Amino acid sequence: AGFSSVNIFLSLYRFQACVYFASVFQAMSCGIHYLASVFMAVTPNFVCGIPGNVSSVLFFNSSESSIEDIWTLWTSIENYIVVQLENGEVWELNQCSRSKREVSLDLAYEYKGNKSVFSCSDGFLYDDTKWKSTVVTQWDLVCDREWLAKLIQPTFMLGVLIGAVIFGDIADRLGRKRVIWFTSAGQFVFGIAVAFTFDYYSFVIVRFLLAMVSSGYLVVAFVYVTEFVGIKARTWASMHVHAFFAMGIMIVALVGFLVRTWWVYQIFVSIATLPFVLCCWMLPETPFWLLSEERYEDAQKVINIMARWNKVSTPCKVSELCSVQHDLVSGRTGDNDMSSTKKHNILDLFCNWDIARRTITVWLIWFTGSLGYYVFSLSSVSLGGNEYLNLFLIGAVELPCYIVACIGMDKLGRRNTLIPFLILSALICVLIMVIPQDFNILIILANMAGKFSIGVAFGLIYLYTAELYPTIVRSLAVGSGSMMCRVGSVVAPFCVYLRSVWIFMPLLLVGIMALLSGILTIMLPETLGKPLTNTLVEATELGRNKKSCSGKTPPAHSGAALEKIEMFGQETVNTEK
């Protein structure tokens, strides 16, 4: 019912629907690149290379003619393989060393005599039954180089963090359209380039650039679709950007199952970007950003195009909607109205106590959502079974949580949905800690419930952040929030490592953060059914506090007038019906 309602509503806006689905299609590529390393950088079973031709292989009581036949019996990294060479030498092959037996009269698995230990100077032998090639096997990222493999995902997430801030700020300065053009083309170019990197360091550098443009696109796309769709469809439209991201995760699982060579796999997952790259140049700039930059003629052109697509016979006039020209021209002669023309930076998110408190709370929610999401995801490996199916289900389980989030936001409001799910996440963490370890099924179900609840909060905060801040810093606010989100995703693996200190330490940290975030969210204003604000003055008024950055009472009509731009097509269609 939820999906049908949004489809019916978007069908009334043919222009907005086309722009929306074109933009969110590219979000699948973001999901793909974020999770691509799950299979691309996997470390298979391996042992030291053999210094000669093998005549026989022994693993416990099993004797085989080749090492390839042994991998199905491999159970632990503590295992070793005994091989006899054609010259009669007997070697024990471990993962990071190899030993030559001094006495080699007979071939036996157990040996108590003297051995000479050597390094793996002849490379390594890898289990290729699942993957023919990974970046780990191509550049031998094992043993003393294992730390390089562990840096692949953190460096990618660092690129995501930096890209979120940089492109969020650029989108506020140069416009949403230009950033969407650049980042979508960058995803395709850097995605293909990753497959043709010649060593580990070039691979990491290109992946870092890929992370920056992927993060930049995702941040700006949220703002872009939020500013284009009407107020009634905004919840469903923005939330289902996450659904397309989740579909990207499912595509990773499917391609990973079908393609087992890492560079071919990377090319296939990158091709998903191509259709959007070929048509993204047709996307228009948002009227909200054009009006904030006082480009009234350009804004009117976009509105006229929207009217033609939506079959509106008498398109609205910007001047008739809100008298923007008169207000802003007179404002330029005032003492404190330079906020509409000055260049904004991250300090504007702390321009007064109300906005600063709002920013700190929002950042904490972003961090907690990402931290909890990845901690619960890493815990889900206990489900067992097929790893490709598990990843597919991890992506699929996000879809119902976004539907629940949309219904809750529309019926209860953004804040009133966010608070209970954050607190529920904390309670589930406590529940998992008290469930006996023998109750595996219950623990798995509780972990999935925790991921579901934190997923609702994680998905909701994107839209909520965009609605809490005005047009002039909206991309910057979402971008900085996404930065805190990426900090959480970088911290999450280290949080999981704390299991060695205490098995429930990760859950304890997530629970505390979720509870604190839920309590602080009570102080945020509700944005359900309210028009987007255009200035920091109006954003402060949204918090019902007359004290603002300029110290003057905001013009309440400007944001509402801008809202009419996104709603006029619906009103006219209803009249025609």
Side-chain angles (χ1 to χ4, degrees):
F3 278 111
S4 61
S5 64
V6 71
N7 288 335
I8 291 172
F9 186 82
L10 287 177
S11 68
L12 300 176
Y13 290 97
R14 291 200 299 173
F15 180 86
Q16 287 92 325
C18 291
V19 169
Y20 173 78
F21 286 110
S23 302
V24 298
F25 175 83
Q26 183 72 357
M28 286 195 297
S29 293
C30 298
I32 287 170
H33 293 306
Y34 276 42
L35 271 294
S37 64
V38 171
F39 297 130
M40 187 166 55
V42 66
T43 301
N45 295 324
F46 67 94
V47 292
C48 267
I50 307 170
N53 297 322
V54 177
S55 61
S56 59
V57 181
L58 187 64
F59 183 74
F60 288 107
N61 296 325
S62 300
S63 179
E64 304 290 347
S65 58
S66 65
I67 292 182
E68 286 73 17
D69 300 325
I70 295 295
W71 294 125
T72 55
L73 306 174
W74 191 273
T75 57
S76 171
I77 61 174
E78 303 297 329
N79 294 154
Y80 63 90
I81 298 174
V82 178
V83 297
Q84 187 172 37
L85 306 184
E86 292 179 349
N87 60 9
E89 294 179 351
V90 177
W91 289 76
E92 293 181 7
L93 305 179
N94 298 86
Q95 284 202 324
C96 296
S97 65
R98 57 187 180 180
S99 305
K100 179 183 177 182
R101 294 179 178 178
E102 299 298 334
V103 179
S104 54
L105 297 178
D106 58 340
L107 184 62
Y109 193 75
E110 299 292 339
Y111 176 76
K112 302 298 184 183
N114 295 328
K115 295 183 288 187
S116 301
V117 180
F118 299 89
S119 63
C120 301
S121 56
D122 293 299
F124 300 88
L125 298 174
Y126 296 97
D127 178 8
D128 61 358
T129 55
K130 285 188 176 181
W131 276 85
K132 299 300 180 183
S133 172
T134 71
V135 295
V136 173
T137 63
Q138 178 150 344
W139 295 310
D140 289 335
L141 305 181
V142 294
C143 297
D144 58 341
R145 287 167 56 86
E146 182 182 7
W147 65 277
L148 294 174
K150 291 183 176 180
L151 282 180
I152 290 176
Q153 190 63 18
T155 53
F156 184 90
M157 299 310 296
L158 180 62
V160 168
L161 185 155
I162 295 175
V165 176
I166 291 178
F167 288 107
D169 186 39
I170 292 176
D172 282 330
R173 296 171 183 268
L174 302 181
R176 288 71 161 116
K177 180 178 69 173
R178 293 178 182 177
V179 174
I180 284 179
W181 287 359
F182 179 80
T183 53
S184 58
Q187 282 190 78
F188 177 74
V189 172
F190 293 132
I192 297 295
V194 167
F196 296 97
T197 49
F198 52 86
D199 62 9
Y200 169 80
Y201 298 102
S202 62
F203 170 82
V204 170
I205 292 172
V206 177
R207 283 257 304 167
F208 182 85
L209 297 175
L210 175 61
M212 288 183 62
V213 294
S214 297
S215 174
Y217 181 87
L218 197 60
V219 167
V220 178
F222 271 102
V223 176
Y224 188 76
V225 300
T226 299
E227 293 183 348
F228 254 118
V229 299
I231 188 171
K232 294 181 181 178
R234 190 187 301 156
T235 301
W236 287 90
S238 64
M239 284 295 292
H240 284 89
V241 177
H242 294 282
F244 281 85
F245 185 92
M247 289 171 61
I249 298 176
M250 292 186 278
I251 290 175
V252 169
L254 179 61
V255 176
F257 176 76
L258 298 175
V259 183
R260 306 299 177 90
T261 301
W262 79 266
W263 62 271
V264 178
Y265 161 85
Q266 177 64 29
I267 291 176
F268 270 89
V269 296
S270 299
I271 289 176
T273 311
L274 186 59
F276 182 78
V277 173
L278 298 177
C279 67
C280 68
W281 59 272
M282 294 185 291
L283 292 177
E285 187 55 82
T286 69
F288 269 87
W289 184 82
L290 293 171
L291 289 176
S292 71
E293 294 292 309
E294 301 180 23
R295 293 169 55 179
Y296 309 122
E297 292 184 2
D298 292 334
Q300 187 65 62
K301 290 178 182 178
V302 174
I303 293 173
N304 292 340
I305 294 174
M306 294 168 63
R308 287 197 300 271
W309 274 67
N310 294 338
K311 296 182 178 180
V312 177
S313 57
T314 56
C316 64
K317 303 296 183 182
V318 171
S319 57
E320 295 175 359
L321 278 173
C322 55
S323 302
V324 173
Q325 291 175 324
H326 177 269
D327 289 345
L328 292 181
V329 169
S330 61
R332 284 197 298 269
T333 62
D335 295 331
N336 298 302
D337 255 353
M338 293 302 294
S339 61
S340 62
T341 58
K342 75 171 185 177
K343 297 301 181 182
H344 297 275
N345 55 53
I346 199 167
L347 295 179
D348 289 301
L349 301 181
F350 298 88
C351 65
N352 63 36
W353 169 244
D354 298 290
I355 297 295
R357 184 177 58 186
R358 185 180 305 177
T359 299
I360 293 172
T361 301
V362 166
W363 282 5
L364 182 63
I365 299 170
W366 279 88
F367 177 84
T368 302
S370 179
L371 179 69
Y373 180 88
Y374 286 104
V375 166
F376 280 120
S377 296
L378 291 173
S379 300
S380 67
V381 295
S382 59
L383 294 173
N386 185 286
E387 56 192 342
Y388 304 103
L389 179 61
N390 286 347
L391 182 63
F392 185 89
L393 293 176
I394 285 175
V397 78
E398 297 182 37
L399 302 181
C401 86
Y402 299 142
I403 296 176
V404 171
C406 287
I407 296 174
M409 285 192 295
D410 279 342
K411 302 298 182 181
L412 304 176
R414 283 76 160 121
R415 182 184 60 186
N416 295 336
T417 301
L418 185 59
I419 293 172
F421 276 101
L422 283 171
I423 296 177
L424 178 62
S425 301
L427 294 177
I428 291 175
C429 289
V430 175
L431 177 63
I432 296 174
M433 294 168 63
V434 300
I435 295 177
Q437 292 298 296
D438 296 335
F439 290 58
N440 292 331
I441 296 179
L442 238 110
I443 293 176
I444 291 172
L445 291 175
N447 271 276
M448 297 308 294
K451 183 184 177 185
F452 182 93
S453 59
I454 205 71
V456 172
F458 195 23
L460 187 156
I461 192 59
Y462 281 84
L463 173 63
Y464 197 23
T465 302
E467 292 180 338
L468 285 171
Y469 292 90
T471 303
I472 55 176
V473 293
R474 186 170 295 122
S475 284
L476 183 60
V478 177
S480 62
S482 182
M483 177 191 70
M484 296 305 299
C485 162
R486 295 311 144 204
V487 171
S489 64
V490 172
V491 171
F494 298 100
C495 182
V496 174
Y497 296 155
L498 293 177
R499 290 173 61 91
S500 59
V501 178
W502 185 41
I503 190 172
F504 295 125
M505 183 65 75
L507 292 171
L508 178 63
L509 295 177
V510 172
I512 293 174
M513 296 297 293
L515 182 62
L516 178 61
S517 301
I519 294 173
L520 291 178
T521 303
I522 297 174
M523 295 184 292
L524 294 179
E526 181 56 70
T527 60
L528 176 63
K530 296 182 180 180
L532 293 176
T533 56
N534 198 42
T535 66
L536 286 165
V537 175
E538 295 174 14
T540 304
E541 176 67 13
L542 187 64
R544 297 183 179 180
N545 191 328
K546 297 299 181 181
K547 182 179 178 180
S548 63
C549 297
S550 64
K552 292 189 177 184
T553 302
H557 65 276
S558 61
L562 286 171
E563 195 70 31
K564 292 180 183 177
I565 295 172
E566 62 183 27
M567 296 181 64
F568 79 92
Q570 168 70 16
E571 294 168 355
T572 306
V573 171
N574 285 341
T575 302
E576 292 175 351
K577 289 172 64 177

